[in-house]
Amino acid sequence: MPPSTKDLDSAFQAAGAKPGLEVWCIENQQLVLVPNSCHGKFYTGSAYIVLNTVFPKSGPPQHDLHYWLGNDSNKVDSGLASDKALELDAALGSCTVQYREIQGQESQKFLSYFKPCIIPIEGVFTSKLGNFNGEYQVRMYTCKGDHVVRVKEVPFLRSSLNHEDVFILDTASKIFLFSGCNSTIQERAKALEVIQYIKENKHSGNCEVATIEDGKFVGDSDVGEFWSLFGGYAPIPRELPSVQDQPVDSSVKLSWINLQGKLCPTGSNALSKEMLETDKCYMLDCGAEIYVWMGRQTSLTERKTSISAIENFVRNEDRSSGTHLTFLSEGLESSIFRSYFANWPKTVEQTLYEEGREKVAAMFKQQGYEVKELPEEYSEPLINCRGTLKVWRVDSDKLSPLSDTEQTRLYSGDCYIAQYTFPGNGRDETLLYAWLGSRCIMEDKAAAIVHMNALVDSVRTNPVMAQVHEGKEPAQFFSIFQRLIIFKGGISSGYKKFIEEKGMIDETYNENKVALFRVQGTSPDNMQAIQVDQVSASLNSSYCYILQTEESIFTWIGSLSSAQDHNLLDRMVELINPTWPPLSVREGNEPDIFWDTLGGKAEYSRAKEIPKYIEDPHLFVLDITGVMQVREIYNFTQDDLVTEDILLLDCQKEIYIWIGLHSAVRSKQEALNLGQKFLEMDVLVEELSLETPTYVVTEGHEPPFFTRFFVWDHSKANMHGNSFERKLAILKGKSHILEGHNRTPRKANSRNHTPDGQRGISVSSNGRGRSSSPASIGMRSDYKSSHNGLPSSPDPITRKLFQGFSPSYNSPEELVQLSGSPAVEPAVSSESKESFQKNGKEGSENLPIYPYERLRVLSSNPVAGINVTNREAYLSTEEFHEKFGMTKAAFYKLPKWKQNKLKMSLDLF
């Protein structure tokens, strides 16, 4: 049971009720809350408790609890810190993950809270520090790390310098950066961030900065001044080989910790989850990492005994000071911990989260605080979805362009390439999708990658590439297509040949056969009909369905579906079969013929679908020089996108591979295979399917749906040079940084979009606007423009990644011949222009006026002969203002998605 409010240390009152850091220090054996202004200042003679609370977009709050022990802290304070950390854990419903942090050996997660660094201060913390004005003390530090930097003070002596590391010499008037000749660019860049921190916090921003390179002694006054501080220049001796630490036993051992604190080995090498009993504590010894697992039925006293036992074990076994201790409560096991146990279920028990959350909420309420959920994640499209869409069907070595109608009708047995061009931040952007049907053949999958590779080389706009599997499409994919029907079967010659050779029945959709479609989506701009098996078990009460028979059309409305679902159902029926009037059937009132068509009534899902718990994104560095290794970056920002790196952003619903322009990509495997390898690494992935959508993004061409995970500064994204050169330019205040030589000029290409940035419209049969199709927009003109102009050059990086999939043809012209696409420029009809003009104020002033009730989508007396995509334009000025709460002029200045959202709420869309 968690301690009551009366038993809880007063310093912990309301702890964890807000996101962010809270820090306490042990002072005279009492807890003292450290003010925010002092976060990151750690005294070597003190012990601290640090709580980091994150409120994710969904699910309960997440708490990471650390206790930090300075090298000079006494045993009493250290023991009190671990006991108080356990007390705080219990107060938070035993829902924290705890870490012991030793000065100089801190975990990367801990260091990430205090960017750019922590610099331990000699002495003991006191809450009554005064101001001391004395002579400025010269200090020297060494910096290690390329993403999270470890700063350590070293003696101000020449002998402290070496060729391997980066050093900072802080004097009263100038800060020197000395870079060992064997140090990395990333380490030098991170050291510049530390210098910026020292300059702002110790010099009030007023001091000079000088950079000194090891081994380069030109006539530079800064170099002379630096060495004069050491009494003159002398060569730095080569380091002797360091004495290697004794190797740690790499075998993993599990021990039970009894009530007396004695470790009792389990005596089994094969570990399973069943070995962990909920009323006991265990130690999992992994060598450099030790985990303490605490069952939910253990008492606070048992947990304190276990932690003391483990700390004694580390001391008595003479383990390295770098050994990390992590304390896990049952139900909060990390993925790495779980990986040591055979067949550990990947699904975390949500009830444990909720149980802990209820305890926390009850405690906060008792103290006068309320725990509230954060709002749902913003679901509107993050890019302009009115750009130009071209779709091709993959047929072995040939690409077949699809017409307007065809490109919204895909088949599960086929693969497709979709090229989407949209206006971005001052320039056109391109997104390339390879959509792989769930029943496509392997040959077509491989061919799809080959064709997409060829398109990457031909497009001027440095496209973002994505591989998408049927059934795992991101919402943005559907928003680009707007309306999409996915049929069973396939049309490609490879698919037809495959089913013929296997003697399989051809299930390819035929309008004269029985077919069942599940309707889904969130709005008319994002709706789909997916053909499923025509059996009762395919039904689900949360959805609406369309059942096509040889003689009629049924629409089935699930009891848990919404009014929005019903609206989408009506629209999709018109697209699938506009000739037959549908027979509407509500769940529970189906006629016998309905069940007979589905082969008889059977059980199906009737439970409300609950959104899956989604964690916040994780960022990893990929090292692909040998066997691929990954390292997580905690509390990441845009500054962690280092130009020498290959990074992977794991958003659970999709992953992004980010390629820095200066990354040393030596692997011959393509970027999508990097993503696939990551998905196969179960140690780091939480329930990710091998079919998770994978994007490849090159530095300098990051789309909005990638940058949304960062606080994004476009001026940083446009800087050139390696990471050290960029940081140095920022530090020295060079605001006139030019764009990199590998960047595409930030100039819009107006060929494919209209003046307001909306997609060029051609009115289809159902009145909804779409762009010109690949049938009318030739590939040849695109390929010519990409090779006759000034092609941008970050793409060699992407081409390196795709070396494993070299196309069998070498020129764009050959690809044009394979596709059979004519070189015809698009034409915009007068009808299209009229339709577009009615989106604005000018086009609505001369239209006839109709009352709101007749303009509604579900009106009982609808107006005929109007443009149904702009119903609001026919309202009078007075009624428009009454319904929308603004003038027409103000309305048409809003973003298109916001216009559509308002119209939808008024049943005008």
Side-chain angles (χ1 to χ4, degrees):
M1 293 291 294
S4 65
T5 306
K6 179 178 65 176
D7 300 328
L8 191 65
D9 194 302
S10 60
F12 285 145
Q13 297 297 318
K18 58 183 179 181
L21 281 181
E22 295 170 90
V23 182
W24 298 266
C25 185
I26 307 293
E27 181 184 9
N28 299 323
Q29 299 183 29
Q30 298 291 325
L31 273 180
V32 176
L33 183 65
V34 177
N36 292 350
S37 59
C38 294
H39 286 184
K41 297 179 181 178
F42 290 87
Y43 286 83
T44 61
S46 298
Y48 293 78
I49 294 173
V50 176
L51 175 67
N52 184 53
T53 301
V54 175
F55 285 84
K57 295 181 178 66
S58 61
Q62 298 170 358
H63 306 286
D64 286 299
L65 182 57
H66 308 253
Y67 60 96
W68 185 89
L69 308 178
N71 288 341
D72 302 325
S73 60
N74 60 52
K75 190 173 181 180
V76 174
D77 285 353
S78 298
L80 186 58
S82 67
D83 287 348
K84 288 295 181 181
L86 267 179
E87 181 183 323
L88 180 55
D89 169 65
L92 293 172
S94 297
C95 284
T96 72
V97 178
Q98 300 171 65
Y99 307 84
R100 185 187 71 153
E101 307 287 354
I102 302 297
Q103 179 186 335
Q105 303 294 336
E106 297 90 351
S107 66
Q108 292 202 15
K109 180 186 283 284
F110 180 81
L111 292 174
S112 71
Y113 304 145
F114 308 101
K115 291 186 176 180
C117 64
I118 62 172
I119 302 177
I121 305 168
E122 291 185 5
V124 179
F125 170 85
T126 172
S127 53
K128 299 179 181 179
L129 286 174
N131 293 320
F132 299 97
N133 296 314
E135 183 179 350
Y136 193 89
Q137 187 173 357
V138 176
R139 296 183 182 274
M140 190 160 77
Y141 307 94
T142 180
C143 301
K144 296 179 183 287
D146 50 8
H147 281 279
V148 175
V149 62
R150 300 176 188 276
V151 178
K152 178 182 178 182
E153 186 172 358
V154 294
F156 175 32
L157 299 170
R158 186 200 314 277
S159 58
S160 295
L161 300 173
N162 61 54
H163 298 294
E164 311 300 321
D165 298 324
V166 179
F167 296 85
I168 294 173
L169 181 60
D170 178 22
T171 70
S173 59
K174 186 178 289 188
I175 303 175
F176 297 88
L177 173 68
F178 176 85
S179 301
C181 58
N182 295 327
S183 61
T184 67
I185 291 293
Q186 294 97 315
E187 285 179 318
R188 299 178 189 189
K190 293 304 290 186
L192 288 174
E193 293 183 20
V194 178
I195 288 178
Q196 181 72 45
Y197 173 80
I198 294 173
K199 180 180 177 180
E200 292 174 356
N201 288 274
K202 296 182 68 176
H203 297 267
S204 301
N206 299 315
C207 73
E208 295 182 46
V209 175
T211 56
I212 313 296
E213 281 199 54
D214 181 14
K216 292 189 178 180
F217 306 106
V218 295
D220 189 316
S221 59
D222 288 334
V223 174
E225 183 180 355
F226 174 79
W227 288 113
S228 68
L229 294 171
F230 293 92
Y233 170 73
I236 299 173
R238 291 185 176 275
E239 282 193 330
L240 296 174
S242 59
V243 178
Q244 297 294 323
D245 292 334
Q246 291 295 320
V248 179
D249 186 358
S250 59
S251 60
V252 177
K253 300 172 184 176
L254 181 68
S255 301
W256 163 51
I257 309 170
N258 67 18
L259 297 178
Q260 290 73 42
K262 182 180 179 181
L263 299 178
C264 307
T266 58
S268 174
N269 292 326
L271 304 181
S272 65
K273 182 184 178 183
E274 289 69 28
M275 298 172 67
L276 303 175
E277 299 180 30
T278 190
D279 59 348
K280 294 180 180 178
C281 294
Y282 295 84
M283 177 189 76
L284 185 68
D285 184 1
C286 306
E289 192 87 35
I290 293 178
Y291 296 92
V292 178
W293 184 90
M294 299 174 286
R296 297 190 70 79
Q297 300 303 318
T298 55
S299 66
L300 185 59
T301 301
E302 289 176 289
R303 296 183 176 206
K304 287 183 178 180
T305 301
S306 297
I307 291 178
S308 297
I310 299 307
E311 291 180 337
N312 289 332
F313 169 80
V314 171
R315 281 192 296 269
N316 296 336
E317 291 287 315
D318 198 24
R319 287 292 181 87
S320 164
S321 59
T323 302
H324 288 132
L325 299 187
T326 303
F327 308 99
L328 303 167
S329 292
E330 180 182 356
L332 297 174
E333 299 86 357
S334 66
S335 55
I336 296 178
F337 176 85
R338 297 200 304 266
S339 69
Y340 291 110
F341 295 80
N343 302 319
W344 190 295
K346 286 192 174 182
T347 304
V348 179
E349 297 179 44
Q350 190 71 19
T351 54
L352 294 178
Y353 280 120
E354 295 305 326
E355 178 186 336
R357 182 172 178 77
E358 289 171 7
K359 290 180 181 178
V360 175
M363 184 192 75
F364 287 156
K365 191 169 184 179
Q366 186 179 5
Q367 298 174 20
Y369 294 88
E370 291 291 336
V371 178
K372 297 181 180 180
E373 293 283 354
L374 289 180
E376 290 294 324
E377 185 178 3
Y378 191 66
S379 59
E380 292 292 342
L382 290 157
I383 61 174
N384 187 317
C385 289
R386 303 285 181 182
T388 301
L389 178 66
K390 306 177 186 179
V391 183
W392 297 267
R393 182 183 299 110
V394 175
D395 198 346
S396 186
D397 61 350
K398 186 172 63 176
L399 282 180
S400 302
L402 304 185
S403 66
D404 257 358
T405 304
E406 290 175 322
Q407 71 182 16
T408 60
R409 304 164 82 89
L410 308 183
Y411 288 82
S412 293
D414 294 334
C415 295
Y416 297 83
I417 303 295
Q419 176 182 311
Y420 181 64
T421 304
F422 60 97
N425 184 23
R427 64 186 176 194
D428 275 3
E429 303 286 356
T430 300
L431 178 55
L432 282 171
Y433 281 105
W435 185 87
L436 310 178
S438 59
R439 301 186 181 185
C440 68
I441 61 175
M442 289 302 298
E443 290 79 2
D444 282 350
K445 281 187 180 181
I449 302 301
V450 172
H451 289 301
M452 185 162 64
N453 182 28
L455 285 171
V456 165
D457 289 338
S458 69
V459 176
R460 292 182 57 192
T461 51
N462 280 285
V464 173
M465 300 186 314
Q467 176 177 287
V468 173
H469 292 261
E470 179 188 353
K472 297 290 183 179
E473 299 92 346
Q476 179 174 269
F477 179 83
F478 291 134
S479 294
I480 289 171
F481 277 82
Q482 296 184 6
R483 57 187 188 277
L484 186 62
I485 306 172
I486 300 178
F487 296 108
K488 297 174 77 171
I491 296 178
S492 70
S493 59
Y495 175 80
K496 295 294 187 184
K497 181 180 178 181
F498 175 77
I499 62 172
E500 182 181 351
E501 290 177 348
K502 297 293 183 181
M504 300 167 61
I505 298 174
D506 190 351
E507 295 184 311
T508 303
Y509 172 76
N510 187 314
E511 61 184 13
N512 296 320
K513 294 181 180 179
V514 175
L516 180 65
F517 296 88
R518 182 181 69 247
V519 177
Q520 60 188 40
T522 58
S523 78
D525 281 338
N526 177 359
M527 59 181 183
Q528 311 92 48
I530 315 296
Q531 187 177 0
V532 296
D533 294 337
Q534 52 264 25
V535 294
S536 301
S538 296
L539 299 176
N540 185 309
S541 298
S542 296
Y543 293 95
C544 295
Y545 290 80
I546 298 169
L547 177 60
Q548 171 187 294
T549 72
E550 297 177 0
E551 300 175 349
S552 59
I553 294 284
F554 290 95
T555 57
W556 186 85
I557 300 174
S559 59
L560 299 177
S561 60
S562 66
Q564 178 63 63
D565 295 328
H566 307 163
N567 180 24
L568 300 185
L569 177 65
D570 294 338
R571 292 171 181 261
M572 291 308 298
V573 167
E574 292 181 10
L575 293 174
I576 292 176
N577 195 326
T579 57
W580 294 350
L583 302 174
S584 181
V585 174
R586 289 193 172 269
E587 182 178 2
N589 296 305
E590 301 89 350
D592 291 340
I593 188 175
F594 178 86
W595 295 119
D596 292 342
T597 306
L598 295 179
K601 191 173 183 179
E603 286 300 315
Y604 57 87
S605 178
R606 301 173 187 268
K608 180 69 175 176
E609 288 200 346
I610 300 174
K612 179 186 172 185
Y613 172 75
I614 300 295
E615 288 190 359
D616 284 347
H618 298 270
L619 186 66
F620 300 92
V621 183
L622 299 187
D623 178 7
I624 60 171
T625 53
V627 177
M628 190 174 85
Q629 299 179 346
V630 298
R631 176 163 48 85
E632 184 167 4
I633 301 174
Y634 300 98
N635 301 306
F636 58 85
T637 66
Q638 183 186 1
D639 289 335
D640 288 304
L641 301 179
V642 179
T643 188
E644 289 85 11
D645 283 341
I646 302 172
L647 302 173
L648 189 146
L649 185 67
D650 169 17
C651 308
Q652 291 204 329
K653 288 186 176 181
E654 60 250 346
I655 63 175
Y656 299 83
I657 301 174
W658 181 88
I659 310 297
L661 291 178
H662 292 78
S663 58
V665 182
R666 292 186 294 233
S667 170
K668 293 184 179 180
Q669 300 183 19
E670 79 290 318
L672 297 180
N673 271 358
L674 289 179
Q676 193 67 25
K677 282 188 175 182
F678 176 84
L679 294 172
E680 292 169 357
M681 299 178 74
D682 291 336
V683 171
L684 291 168
V685 179
E686 303 281 352
E687 295 187 88
L688 284 188
S689 164
L690 295 179
E691 297 182 347
T692 300
T694 303
Y695 292 85
V696 179
V697 178
T698 53
E699 182 185 1
H701 291 268
E702 296 87 353
F705 51 90
F706 175 83
T707 59
R708 64 181 164 138
F709 299 107
F710 304 83
V711 176
W712 197 260
D713 181 348
H714 284 284
S715 65
K716 289 182 180 180
N718 292 330
M719 295 178 69
H720 68 83
N722 61 38
S723 53
F724 177 77
E725 292 167 342
R726 298 182 191 189
K727 297 287 185 186
L728 187 60
I730 293 173
L731 184 62
K732 294 195 172 183
K734 295 183 179 179
S735 58
H736 56 280
I737 303 301
L738 300 176
E739 290 186 355
H741 59 83
N742 284 338
R743 312 272 187 208
T744 298
R746 304 180 75 82
K747 181 178 178 181
N749 179 349
S750 60
R751 181 168 55 85
N752 284 330
H753 65 274
T754 48
D756 74 339
Q758 304 301 318
R759 177 177 292 179
I761 297 175
S762 59
V763 179
S764 59
S765 59
N766 68 343
R768 296 186 55 75
R770 288 302 293 178
S771 66
S772 299
S773 71
S776 62
I777 303 178
M779 294 173 62
R780 185 184 303 274
S781 59
D782 284 282
Y783 290 137
K784 270 189 174 181
S785 65
S786 69
H787 289 271
N788 292 345
L790 295 174
S792 53
S793 55
D795 279 340
I797 295 173
T798 310
R799 286 197 290 273
K800 280 186 183 179
L801 290 168
F802 277 89
Q803 282 177 350
F805 281 112
S806 299
S808 56
Y809 35 79
N810 298 314
S811 69
E813 288 74 17
E814 288 177 50
L815 184 58
V816 173
Q817 293 172 5
L818 287 170
S819 69
S821 177
V824 180
E825 286 296 323
V828 181
S829 66
S830 58
E831 184 182 13
S832 298
K833 292 178 181 177
E834 179 186 356
S835 176
F836 168 74
Q837 288 171 353
K838 288 178 182 177
N839 280 296
K841 178 183 176 183
E842 296 80 12
S844 64
E845 290 178 341
N846 300 319
L847 294 176
I849 302 300
Y850 297 101
Y852 166 73
E853 288 301 325
R854 293 196 63 193
L855 291 171
R856 293 178 58 220
V857 174
L858 300 178
S859 172
S860 58
N861 182 25
V863 180
I866 63 171
N867 184 344
V868 295
T869 63
N870 298 98
R871 296 172 184 269
E872 79 290 345
Y874 300 87
L875 287 170
S876 66
T877 302
E878 296 75 18
E879 195 166 17
F880 187 100
H881 194 278
E882 176 190 341
K883 298 297 182 184
F884 287 88
M886 66 184 76
T887 64
K888 288 187 178 182
F891 174 79
Y892 288 120
K893 289 180 181 178
L894 296 175
K896 191 67 176 178
W897 65 264
K898 203 162 190 177
Q899 294 180 25
N900 293 343
K901 190 171 183 179
L902 288 171
K903 291 196 292 184
M904 197 183 305
S905 67
L906 294 169
D907 195 27
L908 291 172
F909 194 77

